[in-house]
PDB file of all heavy atoms in Angstrom:
ATOM      1  N   GLY A   1      -1.920   4.013   3.821  1.00 87.00           N
ATOM      2  CA  GLY A   1      -0.638   3.710   3.182  1.00 87.00           C
ATOM      3  C   GLY A   1       0.006   4.930   2.556  1.00 87.00           C
ATOM      4  O   GLY A   1       1.229   5.099   2.588  1.00 87.00           O
ATOM      5  N   VAL A   2      -0.829   5.810   1.989  1.00 87.00           N
ATOM      6  CA  VAL A   2      -0.307   7.044   1.392  1.00 87.00           C
ATOM      7  C   VAL A   2       0.332   7.926   2.467  1.00 87.00           C
ATOM      8  O   VAL A   2       1.432   8.471   2.273  1.00 87.00           O
ATOM      9  CB  VAL A   2      -1.425   7.804   0.653  1.00 87.00           C
ATOM     10  CG1 VAL A   2      -0.948   9.191   0.242  1.00 87.00           C
ATOM     11  CG2 VAL A   2      -1.881   7.013  -0.575  1.00 87.00           C
ATOM     12  N   ILE A   3      -0.338   8.071   3.605  1.00 88.00           N
ATOM     13  CA  ILE A   3       0.209   8.910   4.678  1.00 88.00           C
ATOM     14  C   ILE A   3       1.499   8.289   5.227  1.00 88.00           C
ATOM     15  O   ILE A   3       2.477   8.989   5.503  1.00 88.00           O
ATOM     16  CB  ILE A   3      -0.826   9.106   5.802  1.00 88.00           C
ATOM     17  CG1 ILE A   3      -2.062   9.832   5.260  1.00 88.00           C
ATOM     18  CG2 ILE A   3      -0.224   9.916   6.948  1.00 88.00           C
ATOM     19  CD1 ILE A   3      -3.172  10.005   6.274  1.00 88.00           C
ATOM     20  N   LEU A   4       1.504   6.964   5.394  1.00 91.00           N
ATOM     21  CA  LEU A   4       2.721   6.284   5.867  1.00 91.00           C
ATOM     22  C   LEU A   4       3.867   6.492   4.879  1.00 91.00           C
ATOM     23  O   LEU A   4       5.021   6.687   5.284  1.00 91.00           O
ATOM     24  CB  LEU A   4       2.447   4.788   6.047  1.00 91.00           C
ATOM     25  CG  LEU A   4       1.577   4.407   7.251  1.00 91.00           C
ATOM     26  CD1 LEU A   4       1.084   2.966   7.121  1.00 91.00           C
ATOM     27  CD2 LEU A   4       2.364   4.583   8.553  1.00 91.00           C
ATOM     28  N   THR A   5       3.559   6.464   3.589  1.00 87.00           N
ATOM     29  CA  THR A   5       4.591   6.700   2.572  1.00 87.00           C
ATOM     30  C   THR A   5       5.134   8.109   2.680  1.00 87.00           C
ATOM     31  O   THR A   5       6.356   8.328   2.654  1.00 87.00           O
ATOM     32  CB  THR A   5       4.019   6.465   1.161  1.00 87.00           C
ATOM     33  OG1 THR A   5       3.502   5.141   1.079  1.00 87.00           O
ATOM     34  CG2 THR A   5       5.102   6.655   0.106  1.00 87.00           C
ATOM     35  N   ASP A   6       4.234   9.080   2.808  1.00 85.00           N
ATOM     36  CA  ASP A   6       4.667  10.471   2.938  1.00 85.00           C
ATOM     37  C   ASP A   6       5.504  10.676   4.199  1.00 85.00           C
ATOM     38  O   ASP A   6       6.408  11.526   4.224  1.00 85.00           O
ATOM     39  CB  ASP A   6       3.457  11.404   2.967  1.00 85.00           C
ATOM     40  CG  ASP A   6       2.736  11.460   1.629  1.00 85.00           C
ATOM     41  OD1 ASP A   6       3.349  11.054   0.618  1.00 85.00           O
ATOM     42  OD2 ASP A   6       1.565  11.889   1.592  1.00 85.00           O
ATOM     43  N   ALA A   7       5.206   9.885   5.244  1.00 84.00           N
ATOM     44  CA  ALA A   7       5.956   9.976   6.501  1.00 84.00           C
ATOM     45  C   ALA A   7       7.245   9.156   6.448  1.00 84.00           C
ATOM     46  O   ALA A   7       7.972   9.087   7.440  1.00 84.00           O
ATOM     47  CB  ALA A   7       5.091   9.503   7.664  1.00 84.00           C
ATOM     48  N   ARG A   8       7.504   8.539   5.285  1.00 84.00           N
ATOM     49  CA  ARG A   8       8.715   7.731   5.023  1.00 84.00           C
ATOM     50  C   ARG A   8       8.778   6.467   5.880  1.00 84.00           C
ATOM     51  O   ARG A   8       9.846   5.886   6.071  1.00 84.00           O
ATOM     52  CB  ARG A   8       9.994   8.554   5.218  1.00 84.00           C
ATOM     53  CG  ARG A   8      10.070   9.822   4.395  1.00 84.00           C
ATOM     54  CD  ARG A   8       9.848   9.561   2.915  1.00 84.00           C
ATOM     55  NE  ARG A   8      10.887   8.701   2.341  1.00 84.00           N
ATOM     56  CZ  ARG A   8      10.779   8.108   1.142  1.00 84.00           C
ATOM     57  NH1 ARG A   8       9.687   8.248   0.434  1.00 84.00           N
ATOM     58  NH2 ARG A   8      11.776   7.360   0.688  1.00 84.00           N
ATOM     59  N   ASP A   9       7.634   5.997   6.389  1.00 89.00           N
ATOM     60  CA  ASP A   9       7.577   4.697   7.062  1.00 89.00           C
ATOM     61  C   ASP A   9       7.248   3.658   5.990  1.00 89.00           C
ATOM     62  O   ASP A   9       6.139   3.120   5.924  1.00 89.00           O
ATOM     63  CB  ASP A   9       6.517   4.715   8.164  1.00 89.00           C
ATOM     64  CG  ASP A   9       6.551   3.451   9.027  1.00 89.00           C
ATOM     65  OD1 ASP A   9       7.293   2.508   8.667  1.00 89.00           O
ATOM     66  OD2 ASP A   9       5.827   3.401  10.040  1.00 89.00           O
ATOM     67  N   LEU A  10       8.237   3.364   5.154  1.00 90.00           N
ATOM     68  CA  LEU A  10       7.978   2.572   3.955  1.00 90.00           C
ATOM     69  C   LEU A  10       7.706   1.103   4.263  1.00 90.00           C
ATOM     70  O   LEU A  10       6.951   0.451   3.538  1.00 90.00           O
ATOM     71  CB  LEU A  10       9.154   2.702   2.984  1.00 90.00           C
ATOM     72  CG  LEU A  10       9.412   4.115   2.440  1.00 90.00           C
ATOM     73  CD1 LEU A  10      10.528   4.086   1.409  1.00 90.00           C
ATOM     74  CD2 LEU A  10       8.150   4.706   1.827  1.00 90.00           C
ATOM     75  N   HIS A  11       8.322   0.573   5.302  1.00 90.00           N
ATOM     76  CA  HIS A  11       8.094  -0.837   5.617  1.00 90.00           C
ATOM     77  C   HIS A  11       6.634  -1.073   6.010  1.00 90.00           C
ATOM     78  O   HIS A  11       5.987  -2.016   5.546  1.00 90.00           O
ATOM     79  CB  HIS A  11       9.038  -1.286   6.731  1.00 90.00           C
ATOM     80  CG  HIS A  11      10.465  -1.374   6.289  1.00 90.00           C
ATOM     81  ND1 HIS A  11      10.939  -2.420   5.527  1.00 90.00           N
ATOM     82  CD2 HIS A  11      11.524  -0.537   6.481  1.00 90.00           C
ATOM     83  CE1 HIS A  11      12.227  -2.235   5.279  1.00 90.00           C
ATOM     84  NE2 HIS A  11      12.603  -1.102   5.847  1.00 90.00           N
ATOM     85  N   ARG A  12       6.110  -0.205   6.872  1.00 91.00           N
ATOM     86  CA  ARG A  12       4.703  -0.374   7.256  1.00 91.00           C
ATOM     87  C   ARG A  12       3.784  -0.019   6.084  1.00 91.00           C
ATOM     88  O   ARG A  12       2.741  -0.653   5.888  1.00 91.00           O
ATOM     89  CB  ARG A  12       4.376   0.504   8.470  1.00 91.00           C
ATOM     90  CG  ARG A  12       2.930   0.333   8.873  1.00 91.00           C
ATOM     91  CD  ARG A  12       2.655   0.393  10.352  1.00 91.00           C
ATOM     92  NE  ARG A  12       1.255   0.033  10.541  1.00 91.00           N
ATOM     93  CZ  ARG A  12       0.286   0.890  10.845  1.00 91.00           C
ATOM     94  NH1 ARG A  12       0.559   2.152  11.095  1.00 91.00           N
ATOM     95  NH2 ARG A  12      -0.959   0.477  10.962  1.00 91.00           N
ATOM     96  N   ALA A  13       4.160   0.986   5.301  1.00 89.00           N
ATOM     97  CA  ALA A  13       3.359   1.345   4.130  1.00 89.00           C
ATOM     98  C   ALA A  13       3.249   0.152   3.175  1.00 89.00           C
ATOM     99  O   ALA A  13       2.180  -0.109   2.610  1.00 89.00           O
ATOM    100  CB  ALA A  13       3.978   2.547   3.416  1.00 89.00           C
ATOM    101  N   ARG A  14       4.359  -0.566   3.016  1.00 91.00           N
ATOM    102  CA  ARG A  14       4.328  -1.748   2.149  1.00 91.00           C
ATOM    103  C   ARG A  14       3.337  -2.778   2.686  1.00 91.00           C
ATOM    104  O   ARG A  14       2.525  -3.335   1.934  1.00 91.00           O
ATOM    105  CB  ARG A  14       5.725  -2.370   2.070  1.00 91.00           C
ATOM    106  CG  ARG A  14       5.800  -3.608   1.167  1.00 91.00           C
ATOM    107  CD  ARG A  14       7.065  -4.386   1.421  1.00 91.00           C
ATOM    108  NE  ARG A  14       7.071  -4.899   2.783  1.00 91.00           N
ATOM    109  CZ  ARG A  14       8.172  -5.268   3.438  1.00 91.00           C
ATOM    110  NH1 ARG A  14       9.353  -5.162   2.880  1.00 91.00           N
ATOM    111  NH2 ARG A  14       8.081  -5.732   4.674  1.00 91.00           N
ATOM    112  N   GLU A  15       3.378  -3.050   3.999  1.00 91.00           N
ATOM    113  CA  GLU A  15       2.467  -4.026   4.594  1.00 91.00           C
ATOM    114  C   GLU A  15       1.012  -3.623   4.369  1.00 91.00           C
ATOM    115  O   GLU A  15       0.161  -4.460   4.033  1.00 91.00           O
ATOM    116  CB  GLU A  15       2.750  -4.154   6.091  1.00 91.00           C
ATOM    117  CG  GLU A  15       4.112  -4.743   6.418  1.00 91.00           C
ATOM    118  CD  GLU A  15       4.414  -4.673   7.910  1.00 91.00           C
ATOM    119  OE1 GLU A  15       3.549  -4.195   8.675  1.00 91.00           O
ATOM    120  OE2 GLU A  15       5.529  -5.087   8.305  1.00 91.00           O
ATOM    121  N   VAL A  16       0.712  -2.340   4.557  1.00 88.00           N
ATOM    122  CA  VAL A  16      -0.658  -1.857   4.404  1.00 88.00           C
ATOM    123  C   VAL A  16      -1.107  -1.978   2.948  1.00 88.00           C
ATOM    124  O   VAL A  16      -2.225  -2.444   2.659  1.00 88.00           O
ATOM    125  CB  VAL A  16      -0.763  -0.394   4.898  1.00 88.00           C
ATOM    126  CG1 VAL A  16      -2.100   0.212   4.509  1.00 88.00           C
ATOM    127  CG2 VAL A  16      -0.560  -0.333   6.409  1.00 88.00           C
ATOM    128  N   MET A  17      -0.255  -1.566   2.003  1.00 88.00           N
ATOM    129  CA  MET A  17      -0.634  -1.613   0.591  1.00 88.00           C
ATOM    130  C   MET A  17      -0.758  -3.060   0.100  1.00 88.00           C
ATOM    131  O   MET A  17      -1.618  -3.367  -0.741  1.00 88.00           O
ATOM    132  CB  MET A  17       0.380  -0.844  -0.252  1.00 88.00           C
ATOM    133  CG  MET A  17       0.357   0.672  -0.042  1.00 88.00           C
ATOM    134  SD  MET A  17      -1.226   1.421  -0.504  1.00 88.00           S
ATOM    135  CE  MET A  17      -0.776   3.167  -0.483  1.00 88.00           C
ATOM    136  N   GLU A  18       0.074  -3.954   0.600  1.00 88.00           N
ATOM    137  CA  GLU A  18      -0.049  -5.361   0.218  1.00 88.00           C
ATOM    138  C   GLU A  18      -1.376  -5.933   0.713  1.00 88.00           C
ATOM    139  O   GLU A  18      -1.999  -6.769   0.053  1.00 88.00           O
ATOM    140  CB  GLU A  18       1.130  -6.161   0.779  1.00 88.00           C
ATOM    141  CG  GLU A  18       2.436  -5.905   0.033  1.00 88.00           C
ATOM    142  CD  GLU A  18       3.626  -6.598   0.664  1.00 88.00           C
ATOM    143  OE1 GLU A  18       3.524  -7.025   1.834  1.00 88.00           O
ATOM    144  OE2 GLU A  18       4.669  -6.704  -0.014  1.00 88.00           O
ATOM    145  N   ARG A  19      -1.828  -5.462   1.862  1.00 89.00           N
ATOM    146  CA  ARG A  19      -3.135  -5.895   2.368  1.00 89.00           C
ATOM    147  C   ARG A  19      -4.253  -5.374   1.469  1.00 89.00           C
ATOM    148  O   ARG A  19      -5.249  -6.067   1.247  1.00 89.00           O
ATOM    149  CB  ARG A  19      -3.320  -5.410   3.808  1.00 89.00           C
ATOM    150  CG  ARG A  19      -4.555  -6.000   4.484  1.00 89.00           C
ATOM    151  CD  ARG A  19      -4.649  -5.549   5.928  1.00 89.00           C
ATOM    152  NE  ARG A  19      -5.947  -5.917   6.509  1.00 89.00           N
ATOM    153  CZ  ARG A  19      -6.408  -5.423   7.646  1.00 89.00           C
ATOM    154  NH1 ARG A  19      -5.687  -4.540   8.339  1.00 89.00           N
ATOM    155  NH2 ARG A  19      -7.582  -5.804   8.103  1.00 89.00           N
ATOM    156  N   VAL A  20      -4.092  -4.152   0.944  1.00 84.00           N
ATOM    157  CA  VAL A  20      -5.085  -3.606   0.013  1.00 84.00           C
ATOM    158  C   VAL A  20      -5.196  -4.505  -1.217  1.00 84.00           C
ATOM    159  O   VAL A  20      -6.299  -4.793  -1.703  1.00 84.00           O
ATOM    160  CB  VAL A  20      -4.728  -2.162  -0.395  1.00 84.00           C
ATOM    161  CG1 VAL A  20      -5.710  -1.651  -1.454  1.00 84.00           C
ATOM    162  CG2 VAL A  20      -4.736  -1.239   0.814  1.00 84.00           C
ATOM    163  N   VAL A  21      -4.049  -4.942  -1.741  1.00 86.00           N
ATOM    164  CA  VAL A  21      -4.056  -5.817  -2.917  1.00 86.00           C
ATOM    165  C   VAL A  21      -4.813  -7.111  -2.617  1.00 86.00           C
ATOM    166  O   VAL A  21      -5.576  -7.616  -3.454  1.00 86.00           O
ATOM    167  CB  VAL A  21      -2.612  -6.117  -3.371  1.00 86.00           C
ATOM    168  CG1 VAL A  21      -2.602  -7.175  -4.479  1.00 86.00           C
ATOM    169  CG2 VAL A  21      -1.931  -4.845  -3.861  1.00 86.00           C
ATOM    170  N   GLU A  22      -4.628  -7.660  -1.420  1.00 86.00           N
ATOM    171  CA  GLU A  22      -5.326  -8.887  -1.035  1.00 86.00           C
ATOM    172  C   GLU A  22      -6.839  -8.663  -0.970  1.00 86.00           C
ATOM    173  O   GLU A  22      -7.626  -9.496  -1.417  1.00 86.00           O
ATOM    174  CB  GLU A  22      -4.826  -9.374   0.326  1.00 86.00           C
ATOM    175  CG  GLU A  22      -3.394  -9.875   0.324  1.00 86.00           C
ATOM    176  CD  GLU A  22      -2.937 -10.233   1.727  1.00 86.00           C
ATOM    177  OE1 GLU A  22      -3.776 -10.214   2.658  1.00 86.00           O
ATOM    178  OE2 GLU A  22      -1.738 -10.524   1.904  1.00 86.00           O
ATOM    179  N   ILE A  23      -7.244  -7.530  -0.403  1.00 84.00           N
ATOM    180  CA  ILE A  23      -8.669  -7.252  -0.216  1.00 84.00           C
ATOM    181  C   ILE A  23      -9.341  -6.869  -1.532  1.00 84.00           C
ATOM    182  O   ILE A  23     -10.451  -7.327  -1.831  1.00 84.00           O
ATOM    183  CB  ILE A  23      -8.865  -6.118   0.816  1.00 84.00           C
ATOM    184  CG1 ILE A  23      -8.332  -6.542   2.180  1.00 84.00           C
ATOM    185  CG2 ILE A  23     -10.331  -5.709   0.914  1.00 84.00           C
ATOM    186  CD1 ILE A  23      -8.281  -5.407   3.188  1.00 84.00           C
ATOM    187  N   ALA A  24      -8.666  -6.020  -2.320  1.00 78.00           N
ATOM    188  CA  ALA A  24      -9.276  -5.466  -3.537  1.00 78.00           C
ATOM    189  C   ALA A  24      -8.283  -5.524  -4.691  1.00 78.00           C
ATOM    190  O   ALA A  24      -7.707  -4.506  -5.081  1.00 78.00           O
ATOM    191  CB  ALA A  24      -9.740  -4.027  -3.289  1.00 78.00           C
ATOM    192  N   PRO A  25      -8.065  -6.721  -5.266  1.00 83.00           N
ATOM    193  CA  PRO A  25      -7.060  -6.855  -6.332  1.00 83.00           C
ATOM    194  C   PRO A  25      -7.382  -6.052  -7.588  1.00 83.00           C
ATOM    195  O   PRO A  25      -6.499  -5.820  -8.409  1.00 83.00           O
ATOM    196  CB  PRO A  25      -7.059  -8.364  -6.620  1.00 83.00           C
ATOM    197  CG  PRO A  25      -8.359  -8.867  -6.092  1.00 83.00           C
ATOM    198  CD  PRO A  25      -8.702  -8.007  -4.929  1.00 83.00           C
ATOM    199  N   ASP A  26      -8.629  -5.606  -7.746  1.00 76.00           N
ATOM    200  CA  ASP A  26      -8.983  -4.806  -8.919  1.00 76.00           C
ATOM    201  C   ASP A  26      -8.955  -3.305  -8.648  1.00 76.00           C
ATOM    202  O   ASP A  26      -9.379  -2.511  -9.485  1.00 76.00           O
ATOM    203  CB  ASP A  26     -10.381  -5.204  -9.412  1.00 76.00           C
ATOM    204  CG  ASP A  26     -10.397  -6.609  -9.999  1.00 76.00           C
ATOM    205  OD1 ASP A  26      -9.368  -7.015 -10.576  1.00 76.00           O
ATOM    206  OD2 ASP A  26     -11.419  -7.293  -9.861  1.00 76.00           O
ATOM    207  N   PHE A  27      -8.459  -2.923  -7.472  1.00 76.00           N
ATOM    208  CA  PHE A  27      -8.305  -1.495  -7.151  1.00 76.00           C
ATOM    209  C   PHE A  27      -6.954  -1.051  -7.721  1.00 76.00           C
ATOM    210  O   PHE A  27      -5.901  -1.245  -7.139  1.00 76.00           O
ATOM    211  CB  PHE A  27      -8.363  -1.302  -5.632  1.00 76.00           C
ATOM    212  CG  PHE A  27      -8.230   0.136  -5.195  1.00 76.00           C
ATOM    213  CD1 PHE A  27      -8.975   1.143  -5.782  1.00 76.00           C
ATOM    214  CD2 PHE A  27      -7.345   0.473  -4.177  1.00 76.00           C
ATOM    215  CE1 PHE A  27      -8.850   2.462  -5.364  1.00 76.00           C
ATOM    216  CE2 PHE A  27      -7.212   1.781  -3.756  1.00 76.00           C
ATOM    217  CZ  PHE A  27      -7.964   2.786  -4.349  1.00 76.00           C
ATOM    218  N   HIS A  28      -6.995  -0.456  -8.902  1.00 70.00           N
ATOM    219  CA  HIS A  28      -5.790  -0.266  -9.704  1.00 70.00           C
ATOM    220  C   HIS A  28      -4.777   0.696  -9.091  1.00 70.00           C
ATOM    221  O   HIS A  28      -3.565   0.519  -9.233  1.00 70.00           O
ATOM    222  CB  HIS A  28      -6.184   0.207 -11.107  1.00 70.00           C
ATOM    223  CG  HIS A  28      -7.056  -0.774 -11.826  1.00 70.00           C
ATOM    224  ND1 HIS A  28      -8.014  -0.401 -12.739  1.00 70.00           N
ATOM    225  CD2 HIS A  28      -7.142  -2.131 -11.747  1.00 70.00           C
ATOM    226  CE1 HIS A  28      -8.646  -1.464 -13.203  1.00 70.00           C
ATOM    227  NE2 HIS A  28      -8.134  -2.529 -12.618  1.00 70.00           N
ATOM    228  N   SER A  29      -5.250   1.731  -8.425  1.00 77.00           N
ATOM    229  CA  SER A  29      -4.334   2.757  -7.918  1.00 77.00           C
ATOM    230  C   SER A  29      -3.299   2.184  -6.954  1.00 77.00           C
ATOM    231  O   SER A  29      -2.176   2.682  -6.859  1.00 77.00           O
ATOM    232  CB  SER A  29      -5.125   3.867  -7.216  1.00 77.00           C
ATOM    233  OG  SER A  29      -5.952   4.542  -8.123  1.00 77.00           O
ATOM    234  N   VAL A  30      -3.665   1.118  -6.231  1.00 82.00           N
ATOM    235  CA  VAL A  30      -2.754   0.595  -5.213  1.00 82.00           C
ATOM    236  C   VAL A  30      -1.472   0.070  -5.838  1.00 82.00           C
ATOM    237  O   VAL A  30      -0.389   0.145  -5.245  1.00 82.00           O
ATOM    238  CB  VAL A  30      -3.450  -0.497  -4.369  1.00 82.00           C
ATOM    239  CG1 VAL A  30      -3.714  -1.756  -5.179  1.00 82.00           C
ATOM    240  CG2 VAL A  30      -2.601  -0.826  -3.148  1.00 82.00           C
ATOM    241  N   TYR A  31      -1.557  -0.479  -7.060  1.00 81.00           N
ATOM    242  CA  TYR A  31      -0.365  -1.038  -7.696  1.00 81.00           C
ATOM    243  C   TYR A  31       0.665   0.046  -8.000  1.00 81.00           C
ATOM    244  O   TYR A  31       1.865  -0.171  -7.881  1.00 81.00           O
ATOM    245  CB  TYR A  31      -0.747  -1.777  -8.982  1.00 81.00           C
ATOM    246  CG  TYR A  31      -1.599  -3.005  -8.747  1.00 81.00           C
ATOM    247  CD1 TYR A  31      -2.995  -2.925  -8.781  1.00 81.00           C
ATOM    248  CD2 TYR A  31      -1.019  -4.237  -8.483  1.00 81.00           C
ATOM    249  CE1 TYR A  31      -3.789  -4.038  -8.570  1.00 81.00           C
ATOM    250  CE2 TYR A  31      -1.803  -5.367  -8.271  1.00 81.00           C
ATOM    251  CZ  TYR A  31      -3.186  -5.259  -8.311  1.00 81.00           C
ATOM    252  OH  TYR A  31      -3.959  -6.369  -8.088  1.00 81.00           O
ATOM    253  N   ILE A  32       0.181   1.206  -8.410  1.00 79.00           N
ATOM    254  CA  ILE A  32       1.095   2.323  -8.693  1.00 79.00           C
ATOM    255  C   ILE A  32       1.838   2.703  -7.419  1.00 79.00           C
ATOM    256  O   ILE A  32       3.074   2.810  -7.395  1.00 79.00           O
ATOM    257  CB  ILE A  32       0.323   3.536  -9.245  1.00 79.00           C
ATOM    258  CG1 ILE A  32      -0.434   3.159 -10.538  1.00 79.00           C
ATOM    259  CG2 ILE A  32       1.280   4.697  -9.489  1.00 79.00           C
ATOM    260  CD1 ILE A  32       0.429   2.756 -11.689  1.00 79.00           C
ATOM    261  N   ASN A  33       1.102   2.890  -6.332  1.00 85.00           N
ATOM    262  CA  ASN A  33       1.721   3.317  -5.076  1.00 85.00           C
ATOM    263  C   ASN A  33       2.604   2.232  -4.472  1.00 85.00           C
ATOM    264  O   ASN A  33       3.689   2.521  -3.956  1.00 85.00           O
ATOM    265  CB  ASN A  33       0.640   3.731  -4.078  1.00 85.00           C
ATOM    266  CG  ASN A  33      -0.053   5.013  -4.475  1.00 85.00           C
ATOM    267  OD1 ASN A  33      -0.674   5.083  -5.523  1.00 85.00           O
ATOM    268  ND2 ASN A  33       0.065   6.038  -3.655  1.00 85.00           N
ATOM    269  N   LEU A  34       2.149   0.980  -4.543  1.00 87.00           N
ATOM    270  CA  LEU A  34       2.945  -0.108  -3.988  1.00 87.00           C
ATOM    271  C   LEU A  34       4.266  -0.248  -4.736  1.00 87.00           C
ATOM    272  O   LEU A  34       5.322  -0.480  -4.125  1.00 87.00           O
ATOM    273  CB  LEU A  34       2.150  -1.418  -4.042  1.00 87.00           C
ATOM    274  CG  LEU A  34       2.834  -2.661  -3.458  1.00 87.00           C
ATOM    275  CD1 LEU A  34       3.256  -2.430  -2.017  1.00 87.00           C
ATOM    276  CD2 LEU A  34       1.912  -3.878  -3.558  1.00 87.00           C
TER     277      LEU A  34
END
């Protein structure tokens, strides 16, 4: 998701980061990036 964000593919980056939240809701860093 970080690489997709840097590549400005924000729609796919959003999908990937939202999946991270589903898998690991206590992984705090993802909320900042999402």
Side-chain angles (χ1 to χ4, degrees):
V2 170
I3 298 177
L4 287 165
T5 303
D6 291 343
R8 304 306 297 166
D9 188 352
L10 297 184
H11 290 283
R12 180 145 187 254
R14 181 196 64 201
E15 294 172 2
V16 169
M17 291 298 192
E18 286 175 344
R19 189 177 170 194
V20 175
V21 172
E22 292 175 7
I23 297 171
D26 291 328
F27 181 48
H28 300 149
S29 296
V30 69
Y31 294 93
I32 301 296
N33 290 61
L34 182 56

